[in-house]
Amino acid sequence: MSNTSVGKVLKGIGASKGIGIGRIFILQDFDSLINRKAVPDKPESELLRYRAAKDRVLFHFGLVAALIFKELGPGKGNILDVHALILQDRGLNQEIELLIHNGKKAEVAVETIFNEISERQKLAKNEYLKERFTVARDIGRQLVIELLGAHRLEVVKGKGDVIVVARALTPFALAEYPVNIKGFAVETGGLTGHAAILARAYNIPMVLGIPNIETAMENGNQAVLNGATGELIVNPPSELLTYSIGLRDMELAVKAKVRPENTSPETKDGHRVALLMNIETTRSLNTADTYGADGVGLFRSEFLFMHKETLPTEEEQFREFEKVAKALYPRKVVIRTLDFGGDKQFPAVLETGNGAAYPGLRGIRYCLAHEELFKTHLRAILRAGASGNVSMMFPMVPGLETFRKAKALLKNTIKTLESEGVRLGKTMPVGIMIEVPSAALMAGALARESDFFSIGTNDLLQYTLGIDREDSSYSDYGIFLPPSIIQLIQLVVESVHIKKKLVAVCGELAHHTMVLPLLIGLGVDELSMDASHIPSTRQAIRALSYAECQELAKKALTLETPEEVKILLKGVLDKLLVKCGHP
Ligand code: PEP
Ligand code: MG
């Protein structure tokens, strides 16, 4: 019997605005999925399963920390450093692994050890230890959820519009949500929690803090979720439902009105800088028109592999690439070949025993060491290139020799496809990313053989200075832009322009308004960034003079410390902001 009366209003806290309408889908709580009596066949494979799950959770912490940084600025994601440290604690891992070795299922071992920690810390009187207790409980929960493959939101696919209801929601689950999810109602979690941050980033309505949520409704109940007022109305009366549909449609119409200005990203003296977008999945494609992107400057194709237990087939990859190419046509789409490794560790790769190391076997090196995987990937990109607007770009190229090896493999793959009678279209431009100093220093030689270039400042900074790109003290270019990076960019631009080819910047540096006049002055032809930054960058470009930017670049090239760079760029930024109407 239903315990849900008509028009039951449940009150929580609005965590992400918007109206969501759909049928209730209750995510089963993971506790009930743990089979505590099961005995694994082989402790060794159980150990591998545990380690792979741990790596995935760690990877996810990095991903969420980056999102928090983007939304809340430096410092706020630091709690995740504590999470990561606990998760990597040697003693803790030894205890868990010992239990697994002695015949426990991985999830049971994790639960046991984290429960023990929680019990010990519950007795603690001091606030610091209590906080640690909460953190430990969260980590244990995330690990178990990951091991069980629970809270994977794919389960709602094909079920029509749904409002997902859960006692707790991990941000990991949210990282790849099916589009038929129209809202989240959750019992636990805070406004600045990672799940809430992701919901806001993805524009999905969310309400948190509804007590006893799972027993307050049933699967399939009609519901209206209001992320602004923090209400979940279960089985709304028909007038309220009609009113809510109207309200939702009005909100969507207002959002759709945000059209790109009909203006070109051109300086006052007529110098155009193309503005392209960086994408990780096909989900963000619709923002290309909203923000007026000139194309895709960087498709981080490795994200297609992110949650997959097995590597995607050629056909699966092809379909994704083709979707992007068609959606953007005739604008260009630069597909970067797989950049596994470093901070990008992927379950499917780890589980095939092909683990990519940090920083050695990363990017193009990893691919060249795994030819079959790489060929499948190349075939998919080449086939998508039949539309005529696709370019291919290799990541982490250290120099000419590696680039030539990659091109030779590409040539062979093209030959094979042609012999199979596959239609490929015109010759696909092939470019490289400049992410390591050795590539920047060899830009002259590389420019003879590569069709175009894109400077990945995230890694270039990391590898030039020997710092960790995850360290937030180095990631704000408004505060820290070392002269060595300016020199390297200048060297690359000059070497590439001599060969009459184009050079882009696609690292995070590309959208920093403070650095924009410098990049333009150095001669960078294209900037590729998260699409949401395009309108403000366009506005800033239109307020600048190319001649003045060139003067600025000349001056910047004489500077010797990040502090000097900061003072110079800050002076220019202040004037620029006034011109753009932000005194
Ligand atoms: C970069 O290194 O600047 C870049 C764009 O590549 P990724 O951030 O994907 O490593
Ligand atoms: Mg990179």
Side-chain angles (χ1 to χ4, degrees):
M1 235 224 348
S2 168
N3 55 1
T4 318
S5 52
V6 171
K8 185 169 182 178
V9 181
L10 301 163
K11 194 83 187 109
I13 307 158
S16 174
K17 284 192 197 132
I19 309 270
I21 299 171
R23 301 254 163 215
I24 294 291
F25 185 96
I26 303 175
L27 272 190
Q28 201 183 1
D29 203 40
F30 63 89
D31 281 351
S32 59
L33 298 174
I34 303 179
N35 180 352
R36 295 180 177 80
K37 295 208 181 93
V39 179
D41 295 342
K42 286 196 203 136
E44 310 84 59
S45 27
E46 199 59 13
L47 267 178
L48 285 180
R49 198 166 79 83
Y50 164 67
R51 287 176 192 163
K54 190 182 73 179
D55 283 336
R56 287 198 293 264
V57 173
L58 268 174
F59 170 73
H60 143 255
F61 287 156
L63 192 78
V64 176
L67 272 164
I68 294 173
F69 184 84
K70 202 166 142 197
E71 186 167 317
L72 302 176
K76 300 289 190 297
N78 291 355
I79 181 71
L80 288 166
D81 296 344
V82 179
H83 280 56
L85 278 176
I86 295 178
L87 196 51
Q88 292 174 99
D89 182 272
R90 190 192 291 256
L92 178 85
N93 277 288
Q94 278 171 349
E95 286 185 56
I96 294 171
E97 295 201 358
L98 186 65
L99 283 184
I100 298 173
H101 185 75
N102 289 337
K104 287 258 185 282
K105 289 282 284 179
E107 50 273 23
V108 179
V110 170
E111 190 190 38
T112 311
I113 297 299
F114 275 94
N115 279 348
E116 276 174 20
I117 296 176
S118 298
E119 285 310 314
R120 263 181 260 152
Q121 288 177 327
K122 245 190 234 172
L123 302 173
K125 297 240 164 16
N126 105 21
E127 278 309 309
Y128 175 79
L129 284 179
K130 279 202 182 119
E131 168 68 21
R132 283 287 184 281
F133 152 64
T134 317
V135 171
R137 192 194 53 203
D138 278 0
I139 298 170
R141 187 186 276 167
Q142 296 226 28
L143 260 177
V144 171
I145 288 174
E146 186 49 42
L147 278 161
L148 294 170
H151 279 200
R152 289 281 167 82
L153 294 173
E154 295 102 83
V155 289
V156 309
K157 269 188 188 160
K159 297 207 179 325
D161 289 355
V162 295
I163 303 290
V164 169
V165 166
R167 228 176 73 196
L169 199 62
T170 68
F172 208 2
L174 255 141
E176 244 198 333
Y177 75 95
V179 286
N180 59 320
I181 294 181
K182 302 300 170 193
F184 290 102
V186 191
E187 182 166 334
T188 56
L191 286 183
T192 54
H194 314 128
I197 284 168
L198 283 179
R200 287 194 290 273
Y202 293 152
N203 258 323
I204 326 169
M206 177 182 267
V207 173
L208 298 173
I210 300 178
N212 305 318
I213 197 162
E214 284 169 318
T215 50
M217 64 203 83
E218 288 178 353
N219 269 323
N221 286 160
Q222 178 73 51
V224 172
L225 183 90
N226 189 329
T229 60
E231 284 170 344
L232 176 67
I233 306 160
V234 184
N235 287 336
S238 60
E239 322 79 72
L240 182 65
L241 183 62
T242 314
Y243 170 77
S244 304
I245 291 173
L247 203 61
R248 179 200 60 189
D249 292 347
M250 207 165 72
E251 279 185 359
L252 292 177
V254 170
K255 267 190 204 147
K257 266 205 186 128
V258 189
R259 286 268 166 260
E261 308 152 56
N262 231 353
T263 51
S264 157
E266 216 171 274
T267 60
K268 288 189 291 189
D269 43 356
H271 178 76
R272 190 177 198 280
V273 183
L275 296 180
L276 299 104
M277 65 196 276
N278 291 351
I279 60 168
E280 282 79 32
T281 65
T282 48
R283 174 170 297 156
S284 42
L285 282 181
N286 53 353
T287 58
D289 288 333
T290 309
Y291 297 117
D294 285 316
V296 169
L298 170 67
F299 181 178
R300 291 181 162 104
S301 65
E302 60 277 3
F303 279 78
L304 288 181
F305 293 64
M306 185 161 143
H307 286 290
K308 303 274 191 298
E309 297 294 336
T310 54
L311 296 169
T313 61
E314 176 184 327
E315 206 50 37
E316 284 168 330
Q317 295 185 49
F318 163 68
R319 277 201 298 274
E320 292 299 304
F321 298 148
E322 193 190 39
K323 210 187 284 173
V324 183
K326 284 196 169 152
L328 269 290
Y329 189 83
R331 289 168 284 182
K332 80 168 163 190
V333 168
V334 181
I335 302 178
R336 178 175 74 181
T337 58
L338 297 168
D339 183 25
F340 286 142
D343 50 328
K344 287 176 267 194
Q345 300 285 344
F346 295 85
V349 175
L350 292 168
E351 274 160 22
T352 52
N354 284 336
Y358 202 149
L361 210 53
R362 176 172 171 190
I364 193 68
R365 279 206 193 102
Y366 176 88
C367 283
L368 288 172
H370 298 89
E371 259 190 33
E372 285 315 308
L373 175 146
F374 194 30
K375 273 194 212 154
T376 305
H377 182 54
L378 293 177
R379 284 174 65 96
I381 301 176
L382 286 164
R383 284 173 56 202
S387 55
N389 60 332
V390 175
S391 306
M392 183 186 294
M393 177 161 78
F394 298 133
M396 303 298 292
V397 174
L400 213 44
E401 200 181 10
T402 309
F403 183 51
R404 283 180 180 156
K405 274 189 196 154
K407 288 247 285 194
L409 199 77
L410 179 64
K411 207 167 151 190
N412 274 339
T413 313
I414 294 173
K415 263 198 200 145
T416 314
L417 279 167
E418 281 171 347
S419 70
E420 291 168 14
V422 177
R423 193 175 72 86
L424 292 182
K426 64 178 179 23
T427 311
M428 184 180 286
V430 179
I432 63 171
M433 287 197 69
I434 303 280
E435 292 166 288
V436 288
S438 101
L441 293 168
M442 294 307 291
L446 288 164
R448 282 200 310 270
E449 302 190 16
S450 175
D451 295 328
F452 65 93
F453 293 81
S454 192
I455 306 176
T457 47
N458 306 338
D459 278 312
L460 189 60
L461 199 85
Q462 155 163 284
Y463 292 117
T464 303
L465 294 158
I467 56 173
D468 181 352
R469 64 187 271 184
E470 302 287 322
D471 184 340
S472 55
S473 37
Y474 299 112
S475 41
D476 188 343
Y477 302 105
I479 301 166
F480 180 75
L481 179 61
S484 52
I485 297 296
I486 304 177
Q487 301 285 343
L488 286 175
I489 296 177
Q490 196 260 347
L491 175 64
V492 174
V493 174
E494 203 174 71
S495 314
V496 174
H497 281 179
I498 290 174
K499 298 288 173 214
K500 305 215 172 337
K501 291 172 182 171
L502 294 183
V503 57
V505 167
C506 66
E508 293 303 297
L509 189 69
H511 76 253
H512 275 255
T513 315
M514 183 151 154
V515 188
L516 179 72
L518 175 62
L519 292 180
I520 295 178
L522 288 169
V524 171
D525 303 291
E526 300 178 342
L527 299 169
S528 192
M529 61 192 74
D530 189 273
S532 60
H533 295 294
I534 289 180
S536 58
T537 309
R538 184 194 293 111
Q539 191 195 12
I541 291 175
R542 292 182 64 78
L544 287 167
S545 132
Y546 184 42
E548 282 171 15
C549 290
Q550 285 176 308
E551 278 309 307
L552 172 75
K554 255 193 220 152
K555 231 183 263 169
L557 285 164
T558 65
L559 303 180
E560 293 175 347
T561 67
E563 185 60 23
E564 288 170 14
V565 175
K566 182 177 128 186
I567 293 168
L568 177 69
L569 297 187
K570 177 85 172 56
V572 178
L573 176 72
D574 290 343
K575 286 191 206 137
L576 180 61
L577 290 179
V578 173
K579 282 187 207 159
C580 292
H582 307 290

